[in-house]
Amino acid sequence: MSLRNGYEYPYQLATGGLDLYHDLTSIAPYRSPKTKNCFYRDGVISRLGMSRLTSTEVLSGKAITSLHRFYYGASSKQLLAASGTTVKKYDGVSAWDNVATGLTDGAQVTMYTWGPKDAVYVANGNQTTFKWDGTTKTNLGAFPSSTKQFIAILDRLVWIDATNPSFIQYTTAFDDTVVEAAQNALKVPGPGIIHGLAYHGLITDVGFAYKTIVAKGSSVWLLTANDLTPASIDARLDIISENIGCEAWRTIQSTPIGTIFLGTDRQVYLITYDMRTVLIGSLIRSNRVNEKGIEQIPSGQMDKPFAVYHDGFYKLYIPAQNGTYNTLQYWLDITRFAQAEDGFWGPWYGPFTGENISHAI
């Protein structure tokens, strides 16, 4: 009980999280108009502190634009970071050692570990792609320098590139030196380019299976591939959303309740395991003049947001209004995810402020 003007008032803890959607007089008693830098789990908890891994910068004066945890061999692991014109590995003590130099400054680096080759595959849409096995960098001449991202589907290494931005291309089986002919690439319908690829778990009539999400600016697709051999190809594309896309493809994250992403309409969506698409971000879209939510993301910065699934939260990182860095975070508690009586999904918490984070893993 709290004392106010000589009277005791019961204040209910914000177990339902943040609510930017309703005006102050309409917010449910179990939600809060702001949960800045805190969340509720058996009590209100302040965002935990952070510590610096090392005082040595990856590249002096340059932001880290991509991180990747590379597991290889029997028990080896490395932390890889892209910054400015370089990709480097952490030596485990305090320093960063070069993996690659001479990259285009500012180009988005992507990294993907392919188990069959026990290597991480690196692309940035500009320079020759390469793989790294923990000690040796090997250039991959079979792929165009415009390659933007790698991912594995079945026994193939799959990629997208800026030169053929609506096509999914792939290698021969378990090979990174021979690629299938261009006429065998998979054309993704609809306007705009493919911004990124990600995995999605799906419950099928024969059990659980991983499919591939294909994110375009104006639509989202699901790729099901049973065989990518050109002579016997068995693959199909199904539309997930024909009028909402996902430019911020790094926000696509698999969670225990399904796959979550930030749409081009600045709304958050959940793709469930049974292929329903559910709008779940309304509580962090502001309708109040004195507050800003995810609706404020600058139109020219939609490639900046990203998300991680960590500690039971889907953590969404976005730029603030007129900003160019991810200075705001909103967290969805997956462990308590539910639809309230008023139809809104949550609980969401935030904004979390005070940090400029370009990428996290």
Side-chain angles (χ1 to χ4, degrees), residues 68-259:
H68 184 75
R69 189 64 160 170
F70 176 38
Y71 296 92
Y72 62 101
S75 59
S76 298
K77 56 189 176 184
Q78 287 180 350
L79 177 63
L80 303 177
S83 177
T85 60
T86 67
V87 173
K88 298 187 179 185
K89 68 178 180 69
Y90 184 54
D91 69 357
V93 181
S94 64
W96 296 92
D97 301 324
N98 283 336
V99 171
T101 60
L103 305 180
T104 299
D105 191 4
Q108 180 60 61
V109 174
T110 61
M111 296 182 254
Y112 177 79
T113 299
W114 194 26
K117 295 298 182 181
D118 202 19
V120 58
Y121 289 74
V122 183
N124 75 343
N126 290 271
Q127 276 74 39
T128 300
T129 59
F130 65 90
K131 67 179 179 180
W132 171 257
D133 65 4
T135 57
T136 303
K137 170 180 173 285
T138 303
N139 287 336
L140 300 170
F143 303 96
S145 59
S146 55
T147 300
K148 300 192 301 180
Q149 184 195 2
F150 289 105
I151 199 171
I153 300 177
L154 300 175
D155 53 3
R156 314 294 176 118
L157 191 61
V158 171
W159 80 94
I160 54 175
D161 72 83
T163 303
N164 299 287
S166 281
F167 288 86
I168 298 172
Q169 303 176 73
Y170 46 96
T171 66
T172 56
F174 296 116
D175 199 337
D176 58 14
T177 63
V178 180
V179 301
E180 299 289 5
Q183 62 264 27
N184 295 319
L186 304 176
K187 175 68 167 66
V188 181
I193 68 172
I194 300 172
H195 289 284
L197 307 171
Y199 293 122
H200 172 62
L202 184 66
I203 299 174
T204 71
D205 56 355
V206 293
F208 186 84
Y210 271 107
K211 310 295 183 181
T212 305
I213 290 178
V214 183
K216 303 190 82 173
S218 58
S219 58
V220 178
W221 300 77
L222 188 73
L223 172 62
T224 299
N226 300 313
D227 183 1
L228 287 176
T229 305
S232 57
I233 191 165
D234 180 9
R236 59 180 287 175
L237 280 161
D238 295 294
I239 188 75
I240 294 176
S241 170
E242 61 183 350
N243 52 20
I244 298 168
C246 177
E247 184 178 346
W249 66 271
R250 295 191 302 165
T251 66
I252 306 174
Q253 290 293 323
S254 179
T255 77
I257 59 173
T259 300

Side-chain angles (χ1 to χ4, degrees), residues 19 21-22 31 279-280 282-283 338-346:
D19 185 348
Y21 184 86
H22 295 97
R31 295 199 189 111
L279 186 154
I280 63 170
S282 294
L283 290 173
Q339 186 177 27
E341 292 181 357
D342 58 6
F344 291 87
W345 295 90

